[in-house]
Amino acid sequence: MKLEVVILAAGQGTRMKSAMPKVLHPLGGKPLLAHVIETARMLDPVAVHVVIGHGSEQVQEQLAHYEGVNWVLQEEQLGTGHAVAQVLPSLDPQSRALVLYGDVPLTSTATLLQLLGPDHDQTLALLTTVLADPAGYGRIERDESGQVRKIVEEKDANEAQRCIQEINTGILAAPADKLAEWLPKLSSSNAQGEYYLTDTIAMAVEDGTGVEALPAANMEEVQGINSRAQLAQLERWYQLQLAQQLMAGGATLADPARIDVRGHFKCGQDVFLDINLLVEGEVSIGDNVTIGANVVLRNSSIADGANIQANSIIDDSVVGENCEVGPFARLRPGTHLEARAKIGNFVEIKKAHIGQGSKVNHLSYVGDAELGRDVNVGAGTITCNYDGANKHLTRIGDNVFVGSNTALVAPISISEGATIGAGSTLSNDAEAKALTVERGRTRVIRDWQRPTKK
Ligand code: UD1
Ligand code: CA
C-alpha cells in the first residue's frame, strides 16, 4: 500500500521561550524537524507533507534543501485533528497516512514499520507506551476485553482516567480515506476547545475499522520536546547512543558521556578518543588514530595512525597518515597535511599544503602556502600572506630549512634545499641550496657605561 507521511509542526512551542520556532532547535546539530523528515524518507513514502504555522517562513526557508516536501500552511492552530485536515486535499484516498510530530525527533524506523505492517493496512494503528508518570498525555482507555475504546486527553479526563498509565505517543497510521471521513466530523467542544486528532480513535472503533495499539521500543523514541530541559535530556540520550555505536565499531572512549557528535562521524578501529571530543559536520577518521582531550573536529578527515593531541581544532582539513598535530594546534579550512607531517603547539595553518614529513612545530602562522617534503619551519615563522587588500602565495620547496622568527612576505618562493637564517624578513625569492639571511650585523661597544640615576 502506498504510504504518505504527515508531519505536524505548526505549534508555537511557547515553553521554549524562543524567537526561533521550536522545530528548528537543534538536536545532534540538526533541527528537530529535520530528524523527522529524514526518518519519514527512510520509509520510502510517495509523499511527505509538513504542516507548518508558527514561524512557517523561517521553517520552510531553513529546511528548503529537503526537496519534494509538501509544505502545508495551517493558518490558525485549532488542534491536531484540524492540522491533519489541512493535508486532506493533497492525500490520495488510496494511501495509508502516517502522522508524525515535528517535535518528536528520535522515533526509529523499526518502530514505525510496525504501524505500517501489511496486517493492519485497513486499521488505525496507534503507537503507545506505559509511563510511571503519565501526566500531560492523552490516556488510552480500553474496554473489559482489552480492546482500545478511545483516547482521553488529560484536560478532559476524570479521576479514574487520569490513573491510566498507558499513554498516546501521538503517532498513528490510518487509511487516508478513513481520515477523510472522520476528520470533518470532529468537534471542538472539549476542555481545550480544539479539534483533537485523538477523537478519531473512538470513531474507528464505532465504524468497525478497528484500532490496534502497538508499543514503542523505549520512552526516548517517542519523547516530545516542549522545553529546553527536555531538549537537553534527549540530547544526552542521543549522544550516548552514538557513543555506544562508536564503541561497538571498535573505538575506545575515555568517557562515553563526554563526546558530542553534531553530524556524521565515521570512525575506524583501535581508535582512542579522550574526553570532551566535539565532532561537527562530516568527519571521518581512520584506524589507530588517537585523539587527545578537548579536541574539535569539523568537516575533516584524518587518516590511519594520526595522533591529534589535546586542545587542537581541525576545521575543513585533511590530515594524512601518521601525522602529529597539537597540542594547541589550529588547522583552518583548506589545510592538507601529507603523511607524517607534524604541526606543533600554537601553530595556525590555513589553506596550505604541507608535504610529507614536513614540520611546523612551534608558534607559527602558515597561510596560503605550499610546502614540499621534509621542510623544517622554525619557531615563530610567519607567512605574511595579506597585503591589506589581497592574499598571496608562499612556496617552499623540498628540504628547505626556515630559521626561527622569519617573516616570509608573499608572494614569495623559497627553492629546494634553501636555508633561511633566523630572524630574516624576506620579500624576495630565495635560491636553491643557498643560505639566505637578512639581519643587521652585530655591533659591540666595549666598556659601555649605563646611565645612572640623578
Ligand atoms: C498530543 C495528543 C496527546 C498525546 C501527546 C503526545 C492530541 C489532541 N493530543 O497532545 O494525546 O499524548 O500529543 O505528545 O492530539 N500541532 C499542529 N497544529 C495544531 C496543534 C498541534 O501542528 O493545531 C502540532 C504541534 O506543533 C505538535 C503536535 O502537533 O508538534 C502536538 O501538539 P500538542 O499541542 O503538543 O499536543 P499535546 O497537547 O501534547
Ligand atoms: Ca506536545
Side-chain angles (χ1 to χ4, degrees):
M1 201 171 187
K2 276 199 302 187
L3 171 68
E4 297 190 50
V5 180
V6 178
I7 302 173
L8 305 189
Q12 184 166 21
T14 322
R15 275 178 283 167
M16 295 299 277
K17 303 252 166 65
S18 175
M20 181 162 76
K22 176 165 77 174
V23 293
L24 290 182
H25 281 259
L27 183 133
K30 192 162 68 180
L32 296 173
L33 180 54
H35 285 269
V36 186
I37 293 175
E38 287 179 16
T39 304
R41 286 184 163 183
M42 282 192 277
L43 301 169
D44 208 17
V46 295
V48 175
H49 313 276
V50 183
V51 180
I52 47 177
H54 277 281
S56 57
E57 280 169 23
Q58 223 178 322
V59 174
Q60 222 176 317
E61 194 182 299
Q62 275 214 27
L63 300 179
H65 55 284
Y66 288 100
E67 283 163 26
V69 167
N70 177 32
W71 300 98
V72 178
L73 187 65
Q74 184 192 23
E75 306 239 7
E76 261 189 299
Q77 283 73 56
L78 302 178
T80 49
H82 180 260
V84 177
Q86 307 311 300
V87 181
L88 284 178
S90 357
L91 276 183
D92 179 344
Q94 299 305 311
S95 46
R96 187 162 176 80
L98 171 68
V99 178
L100 302 176
Y101 294 78
D103 57 359
V104 181
L106 298 182
T107 322
S108 72
T109 49
T111 293
L112 296 174
L113 285 169
Q114 281 189 81
L115 302 181
L116 304 172
D119 316 347
H120 20 261
D121 252 2
Q122 294 308 320
T123 67
L124 191 158
L126 195 62
L127 191 64
T128 72
T129 191
V130 174
L131 295 182
D133 176 15
Y137 292 94
R139 309 296 206 282
I140 310 295
E141 198 179 280
R142 292 174 183 263
D143 63 20
E144 307 72 39
S145 64
Q147 293 296 312
V148 174
R149 186 152 48 195
K150 61 172 175 173
I151 294 180
V152 191
E153 290 304 304
E154 160 114 352
K155 288 190 174 128
D156 301 286
N158 60 34
E159 199 74 10
Q161 288 165 328
R162 281 186 198 198
C163 293
I164 300 173
Q165 287 177 309
E166 188 185 6
I167 62 106
N168 172 32
T169 66
I171 293 168
L172 59 80
D177 56 351
K178 296 285 181 179
L179 286 174
E181 245 176 78
W182 300 327
L183 293 176
K185 290 195 268 182
L186 292 178
S187 129
S188 62
S189 45
N190 50 49
Q192 302 186 76
E194 287 181 7
Y195 296 95
Y196 293 162
L197 178 61
T198 45
D199 284 348
T200 59
I201 281 68
M203 294 177 182
V205 172
E206 199 156 316
D207 74 8
T209 301
V211 175
E212 267 177 291
L214 299 158
N218 53 58
M219 181 51 212
E220 287 79 8
E221 72 163 346
V222 292
Q223 177 71 55
I225 303 297
N226 294 309
S227 65
R228 297 197 197 232
Q230 285 175 333
L231 179 59
Q233 231 175 3
L234 202 59
E235 176 83 44
R236 285 308 98 213
W237 184 80
Y238 175 73
Q239 293 299 343
L240 213 49
Q241 305 305 300
L242 295 183
Q244 266 150 17
Q245 283 169 24
L246 289 170
M247 292 189 287
T252 293
L253 272 60
D255 182 355
R258 279 183 288 174
I259 173 172
D260 272 38
V261 177
R262 301 175 191 155
H264 295 118
F265 187 25
K266 196 164 159 273
C267 191
Q269 289 186 7
D270 295 309
V271 158
F272 177 76
L273 307 177
D274 214 327
I275 56 169
N276 297 334
L277 171 60
L278 174 57
V279 174
E280 294 185 320
E282 301 288 327
V283 172
S284 76
I285 68 180
D287 295 335
N288 299 302
V289 168
T290 301
I291 311 268
N294 309 317
V295 165
V296 178
L297 304 176
R298 188 180 300 126
N299 296 319
S300 294
S301 74
I302 296 173
D304 296 351
N307 178 12
I308 312 299
Q309 297 196 54
N311 300 299
S312 295
I313 298 181
I314 300 185
D315 190 357
D316 226 325
S317 295
V318 175
V319 174
E321 283 181 22
N322 301 309
C323 283
E324 302 259 353
V325 176
F328 294 98
R330 181 172 182 209
L331 307 187
R332 290 173 53 202
T335 297
H336 187 148
L337 308 184
E338 297 281 1
R340 288 179 289 99
K342 282 177 88 169
I343 305 299
N345 42 206
F346 308 108
V347 172
E348 175 180 342
I349 312 275
K350 187 217 73 170
K351 210 171 172 190
H353 191 271
I354 311 289
Q356 271 189 36
S358 289
K359 297 175 187 163
V360 188
N361 270 336
H362 325 271
L363 297 153
S364 293
Y365 171 64
V366 175
D368 301 299
E370 280 171 18
L371 277 65
R373 305 167 65 125
D374 300 312
V375 170
N376 194 315
V377 174
T381 296
I382 305 291
T383 53
C384 308
N385 59 329
Y386 186 51
D387 60 14
N390 297 298
K391 301 273 169 67
H392 302 282
L393 191 68
T394 297
R395 278 206 177 83
I396 302 180
D398 296 346
N399 290 302
V400 163
F401 182 97
V402 180
S404 296
N405 199 30
T406 294
L408 300 170
V409 182
I412 190 168
S413 174
I414 316 291
S415 292
E416 194 186 323
T419 302
I420 309 300
S424 298
T425 298
L426 291 193
S427 40
N428 294 320
D429 292 353
E431 275 177 42
K433 300 196 173 76
L435 167 67
T436 303
V437 57
E438 186 173 321
R439 190 198 291 165
R441 288 231 163 256
T442 308
R443 248 197 336 152
V444 180
I445 300 173
R446 302 234 154 73
D447 300 323
W448 173 252
Q449 295 298 313
R450 288 189 198 153
T452 52
K453 232 180 193 157
K454 290 216 174 93

